[in-house]
Amino acid sequence: MDRRKSLKSIVLGTVAGGLAIHGCKPEAGSEELVESPKITYPGRVPLEEELLAELEEEQFLNPHEIETLTVLCDLILPGSEEFKAASDAKVVDFIEFMAKDNEAFQPDIRGGVMWLDHKCNTENGVEFKAATQEQQKAILDEIAYYDPEVPSNERPFEVNFFSLIRNLTMTGFYTSKIGIEEIGYKGNMPNVWDGVPDDVLEQHGVAYEEEWLAKCVDQSKRGIIAEWDENGNLLT
Amino acid sequence: MQIIENATVYDAIIVGSGAGGGMATKVLSEAGLRVAVVEAGPFFDPALPEHQTQLKWPYESPRRGASTRFRPFGDFDAAYGGWDIEGEPYTQKDGTQFDWFRSRMLGGRTNHWGRISLRFGPNDFKHKDIDGYGDNWPISYDDVKPYYDKVDKLIGVFGTNEGLPNDPDGFFLPPPKPRLHELFYIKGARKSNVPVYPSRMSMLTKKINNDRGVCFYCGQCNRACQVYADFSAGTCLIFPAQKNGGQVDLFVNCMVREVTTDAEGKATGVSYINKEDRKEYKLKGRVVVLGASACSTARILLNSKSKQHPNGLGNSSDVVGKYLHDSTGADRAAFIPDLMNRKVSYNEDGVGGMHVYSPWWGDNSKLDFPRGYHIEVWGGMGMPNYGFGFNVNEFNKFFGTKVGGYGDVLRGEAKKYYGATMGISSRGESIALKENYCEIDPTTVDEFGIPVLRFHYKWSDLERNQAKHAHDTFEEIIHNMGGIPLGDKPGKDRDYGLHVPGRIIHEVGTTRMGDDPKTSVTNKFQQLHDVDNVFVVDAGVFTSQADKNCTWTILALSMRASEYIVDQLKQQNI
């Protein structure tokens, strides 16, 4: 039994029904084998689609882990009147996917949730997710900061666990639609680049040189077909 | 198993559809020849909505654009393939390492490449005369210049005529204005006496014909352009060849096994495995043009053994596979405090890649390495992707404030540092050595039963010294930009940060051209010395790499060789 399957059966075996596992499709059956292997390629090749289907079929996080991580991620990026929360961007769904896509994350995530519960039970007699926010933050205050001069593989497990969840929360949030809006990224759409705005140049204390700008594209002529003289001077 | 033969006799069979094969397809078909293009991967056209990854948002990938085994440059990268392809292994020899990147698809690696389109200069063809290392090419810049000129006009490249001695002028489209971090680079590099010029890249900043669109500045050339505003071999060569009425039969998902020959040892065509039904087929042709990539072409030749060619086709010299060399590469990232707290009021995507670069400026006669490197620059307020916000406030260490934490403070720090990181990379020339090679590994086949390549490759101190120089230069430039270099400067124990051979994906030299059939595989028209109706149009023919990227030279040489093929067929010499 490979590791993926064993983890899947751990989840299936230890958690009562109600767990949202995507419909258990049968493994590649005989009917697929007799079909002629006609390959059609969209933007994704079959091997990629197979991997994706396999990952989507699996469930790594159990309901308790999902609930605990939801609390934890919302402590990292909390919701407020001004900002959306990590949970608004479905960050835990992203962590679920990444844990399957990169199995190296799995023991740290699983063990990290156990660590949080053990710590919180010991200190407060309650699981992390059920503790008060004050109790939760008291635990985080001990693990959320690190000394960057100490190599990461020499830092305590719980510090690295929290760094991992913080990293995945930040990426999960800021690569979501609401996160991209918050960070203010303006690209990924057709436009015409015509240099850094003057106020930005001024803010950072740099300027364009006339000589350099003279070489650059005149965007009003971008639609005119290029023609050159025999020496390579652009005529149009 | 019976091999299925196609009755058609093609004028030319072209193996591979990247820069070399694509150019051969265009030139040969437009001369009226009937050509077959045999490509090991699937059809790909970025104009088809089902093939597009351009303008997708990170959340349209469940891994937010993180890399996979299938796409090492990220989930949205257009080049399907990588250093590790299921069912298609390669092996290493004597504990050495060469990482081989392949992209099996129409257009090959041109679908995602950096579009850095640099001509070789006069010195690059005659470097042995200058420093005694390697060999001269049998041709000079003057032989190739007319073809560079034609490629510039046919495909389109932006840049500027600067009159530099070894970075020739051309027919350029105007370049885009520098981005903010690039203005910082210009300032820092000049202080270090490193000159900076507008970069030279094959995106259309201006219309070049009515078939291709103009760049709309999404910065995503590696995802392949749906309006064909950057160069890839499918969109700019093969599709136009078909559109112009060329007789082009595309055989996709067809993996060439060998070149077939007759009793006189002349090529009769190719045999290939159709990946869809896993059966072997044969195609017949008057001329075989190999553009499968330097190492794949060497593999096909070495696997084409016959009574007449017992050492592999074109390999009486025993040089096929030898003199394999990749560009050198080293990189350093930097934090630029003056780029903190940026306004996000504008779209900074620009073209895919850098707007400025530094061609090699040094005098090697005063240095402890014979060949140069150019400098590439990266940075800016890019689209958030997998990895965004990792170690979000680690730069706090430079200000003596706490690193880590949680809560809204992280939001502020993500914004404070957004766009304040940039990087500098060197891409340089290594010396071609006979001792660096690929050969057939007799113990291993791929899933199609074709014997695979085994690599033997070691850098020498000449490349290590160059990397050391590059890293010293990076630090100096970064300091002169007011920046802080990130991470440690790699020392001798890490080859001074020199990337493993193959990682820069500029491998060349395996079927090198030369005048002497004893020491080279092709003549100066890229025709096998041993078999006059087989040509090589990929980077295998490079006698030496330059401190430039290889694609523009592949294109120019393939055009030159293809015109020669047309001429030789007309004269009935082959």
Side-chain angles (χ1 to χ4, degrees), chain A residues 191-193 215-226 228 234 236, chain B residues 155-159 171-177 199-208 212-217 228-230 350-352 354-355:
Chain A
N191 74 112
V192 177
W193 166 255
K215 299 172 180 176
C216 293
V217 60
D218 175 352
Q219 295 292 13
S220 70
K221 293 185 181 171
R222 64 202 302 269
I224 303 169
I225 290 181
W228 298 265
L234 187 68
T236 54
Chain B
I155 289 171
V157 50
F158 70 72
F171 291 80
F172 291 116
L173 302 169
K177 293 176 188 171
S199 54
R200 298 174 175 184
M201 317 232 292
S202 46
M203 297 89 170
L204 303 187
T205 54
K206 186 174 172 66
K207 209 170 171 63
I208 195 158
R212 292 174 55 199
V214 181
C215 179
F216 54 73
Y217 301 99
Y228 302 173
D230 57 15
V351 304
M354 62 200 186
H355 294 185

Side-chain angles (χ1 to χ4, degrees), chain B residues 208-230:
Chain B
I208 195 158
N209 59 40
N210 289 319
D211 296 324
R212 292 174 55 199
V214 181
C215 179
F216 54 73
Y217 301 99
C218 70
Q220 298 169 24
C221 299
N222 72 313
R223 301 186 186 190
C225 186
Q226 57 189 279
V227 303
Y228 302 173
D230 57 15

Side-chain angles (χ1 to χ4, degrees), chain A residues 72-109:
Chain A
L72 185 62
C73 295
D74 278 2
L75 287 163
I76 294 169
L77 288 177
S80 63
E81 281 189 16
E82 196 180 350
F83 297 115
K84 301 282 192 189
S87 54
D88 294 319
K90 297 190 166 47
V91 162
V92 176
D93 288 357
F94 168 67
I95 293 176
E96 159 73 23
F97 182 87
M98 289 314 300
K100 294 179 296 199
D101 201 37
N102 181 354
E103 291 183 15
F105 289 152
Q106 292 187 1
D108 288 353
I109 293 173

Side-chain angles (χ1 to χ4, degrees), chain A residues 174-219:
Chain A
Y174 285 107
T175 57
S176 74
K177 196 160 189 284
I178 56 176
I180 291 168
E181 272 166 28
E182 189 195 305
I183 201 78
Y185 168 71
K186 294 292 188 300
N188 196 33
M189 58 189 69
N191 74 112
V192 177
W193 166 255
D194 204 21
V196 181
D198 289 342
D199 60 318
V200 175
L201 292 173
E202 199 179 320
Q203 180 194 341
H204 295 276
V206 284
Y208 284 117
E209 296 160 4
E210 281 310 316
E211 199 189 338
W212 194 297
L213 285 187
K215 299 172 180 176
C216 293
V217 60
D218 175 352
Q219 295 292 13

Side-chain angles (χ1 to χ4, degrees), chain B residues 493-512:
Chain B
D493 57 319
R494 284 153 61 199
D495 272 355
Y496 300 104
L498 190 58
H499 287 298
V500 167
R503 281 278 148 180
I504 308 304
I505 323 182
H506 293 167
E507 71 280 4
V508 307
T510 49
T511 55
R512 66 177 195 166

Side-chain angles (χ1 to χ4, degrees), chain B residues 87-100:
Chain B
E88 298 188 37
Y90 54 91
T91 60
Q92 315 278 0
K93 201 173 170 185
D94 301 338
T96 67
Q97 189 179 351
F98 180 86
D99 291 349
W100 187 23

Side-chain angles (χ1 to χ4, degrees), chain B residues 1 12 24 34 45 54 73 82 101 132 150 210 303 307 391 397 442 450 516 530 547 556:
Chain B
M1 185 175 71
R34 177 156 198 194
D45 179 359
Q54 191 187 29
F73 290 91
F101 191 103
K150 284 201 259 188
N210 289 319
N303 275 327
K307 212 193 290 175
N391 309 325
K397 68 184 176 189
I450 307 172
D516 183 351
D530 295 351
D547 51 42

